[in-house]
Amino acid sequence: MPEQPYDVITMGRIGVDLYPLRTGVPLARVDTFGKFLGGSPSNVAVAAARLGRRTAVVTRTGEDPFGDYLHEQLREFGVDDRWVTPVAAYPTPVTFCEVFPPDDFPLYFYRQPKAPDLEIHATELDLEAVRAARVFWMTGTGLCAEPSRTATLAALRARDGSGITVFDLDWRPMFWPPGEANDACAPARYREALAYATVAVGNLDECEIATGEREPYAAARALIGAGVELAVVKQGPAGVLAVHRDGTVADVPPLPVDVVNGLGAGDAFGGALCHGLLSGWDLARTMRYANAAGAIVAARLACSSAMPFPHEVEAALAEGAVDAEGTVTAHGERA
């Protein structure tokens, strides 16, 4: 009997996150760290798996103990790691962060001389599985270097308009080669990928790189003009704006939250967005659900292990608040 298609396949970055176990402390003075699976598309796969979806990730690690750790973590979180392969030439990336709530979370990426996840080759892709997936999720970082760029575009072409194809705009200028992280080269790469996507997701900075527009409604219209059916513009404290090609609009405020670490919120949002789209919910319900998932993770220190389960998201929506430990509050009492 043929294997059933995956609900979600993501493609791109993976690494080890090393987060200080105390907040408000400069990295130079931190002496205790927690080790977590990291990398936005990998965490989106984890987030969707936590919500009951069958997920897999296409990426590469170093041939080292950190790579072994990431395989273990993916399997533990219920994410299929069959397309996570080793690269002997490069070490598994490591990312450090500083945590200064509510809105300052500097990141320090160690991806030199090159990250293994940029060594994904088109010839190694299981294009049949990519084509069959109900959701395929790729990122802007996958376009920053070869052979990842060619592989990402090959995966997009294989989709050929089938299912839901999400372009996470994911603008990280430090990953692009000198001379390409500019207002000419990177937007051209983004426009090429947008022509194959059905959904685009990004914050205001990312939308500006992709479209030249920063005003949320103008950015959404420009993304739709570039080819997508649904544009999702994340506005931080102002919430999220979603505009569909058919004219449907959802402008949803954020769920109140005492932020501990905002770095994983977008990945939780992404996994929940996939879940909502696959569930066939209306646009407003999908955005509220994704906002709630993001708020829960923002109230927790970690990223991958902090991804919420369905009952947590539903409770957050019902009670309308998340406290500083990521638990749902109701009239001041912990759920």
Side-chain angles (χ1 to χ4, degrees):
M1 182 175 179
E3 188 174 51
Q4 290 298 307
Y6 288 86
D7 291 321
V8 181
I9 293 178
T10 69
M11 179 175 176
R13 217 160 61 243
I14 196 169
V16 175
D17 286 348
L18 295 174
Y19 286 179
L21 297 182
R22 292 168 57 202
T23 63
V25 178
L27 198 58
R29 293 189 4 231
V30 175
D31 56 9
T32 307
F33 295 87
K35 182 177 66 175
F36 306 98
L37 179 148
S40 180
S42 299
N43 274 336
V44 168
V46 171
R50 278 274 170 98
L51 297 173
R53 297 299 177 176
R54 182 169 181 255
T55 72
V57 60
V58 179
T59 189
R60 306 195 74 181
T61 71
E63 198 171 60
D64 52 31
F66 275 156
D68 295 339
Y69 165 76
L70 293 175
H71 277 278
E72 292 169 5
Q73 286 293 285
L74 288 169
R75 291 192 291 265
E76 184 175 317
F77 290 128
V79 178
D80 195 321
D81 65 343
R82 68 178 66 188
W83 297 305
V84 182
T85 57
V87 179
Y90 303 122
T92 300
V94 175
T95 302
F96 289 88
C97 79
E98 293 177 305
V99 181
F100 297 106
D103 58 4
D104 187 18
F105 308 103
L107 284 167
Y108 302 88
F109 294 99
Y110 293 81
R111 291 170 58 87
Q112 299 298 330
K114 187 179 185 181
D117 54 60
L118 295 176
E119 281 292 299
I120 301 172
H121 291 260
T123 54
E124 299 168 345
L125 296 176
D126 186 340
L127 293 179
E128 184 177 347
V130 168
R131 186 181 300 111
R134 299 176 69 196
V135 175
F136 176 66
W137 179 288
M138 47 72 64
T139 76
T141 294
L143 304 174
C144 78
E146 293 291 3
S148 173
R149 179 185 300 145
T150 294
T152 301
L153 291 171
L156 288 172
R157 293 189 188 101
R159 296 286 290 172
D160 194 27
S162 62
I164 299 164
T165 303
V166 184
F167 183 0
D168 176 1
L169 301 179
D170 182 44
W171 173 237
R172 302 282 184 178
M174 70 287 290
F175 296 162
W176 289 68
E180 291 193 29
N182 55 49
D183 292 339
C185 185
R189 304 293 188 190
Y190 274 53
R191 285 193 297 272
E192 186 176 4
L194 281 168
Y196 298 100
T198 63
V199 180
V201 183
N203 62 30
L204 295 177
D205 291 337
E206 293 164 340
C207 289
E208 187 173 19
I209 286 294
T211 69
E213 299 286 353
R214 189 171 182 85
E215 193 281 323
Y217 280 90
R221 289 193 295 269
L223 289 168
I224 291 172
V228 306
E229 296 175 9
L230 174 63
V232 180
V233 182
K234 297 185 286 188
Q235 305 172 77
V240 61
L241 170 69
V243 179
H244 196 278
R245 181 180 293 277
D246 67 8
T248 306
V249 175
D251 198 345
V252 179
L255 196 71
V257 58
D258 295 323
V259 175
V260 172
N261 184 356
L263 292 175
D267 302 335
F269 181 99
L273 171 64
C274 294
H275 181 62
L277 293 173
L278 289 171
S279 299
W281 296 340
D282 64 61
L283 198 55
R285 180 182 178 185
T286 298
M287 293 303 113
R288 287 194 299 269
Y289 194 94
N291 264 354
I296 291 169
V297 174
R300 297 171 175 174
L301 181 63
C303 287
S304 52
S305 60
M307 297 300 166
F309 293 96
H311 72 273
E312 295 178 297
V313 183
E314 295 293 349
L317 287 169
E319 303 297 347
V322 179
D323 74 11
E325 295 182 3
T327 52
V328 180
T329 59
H331 309 298
E333 298 177 355
R334 187 163 300 170

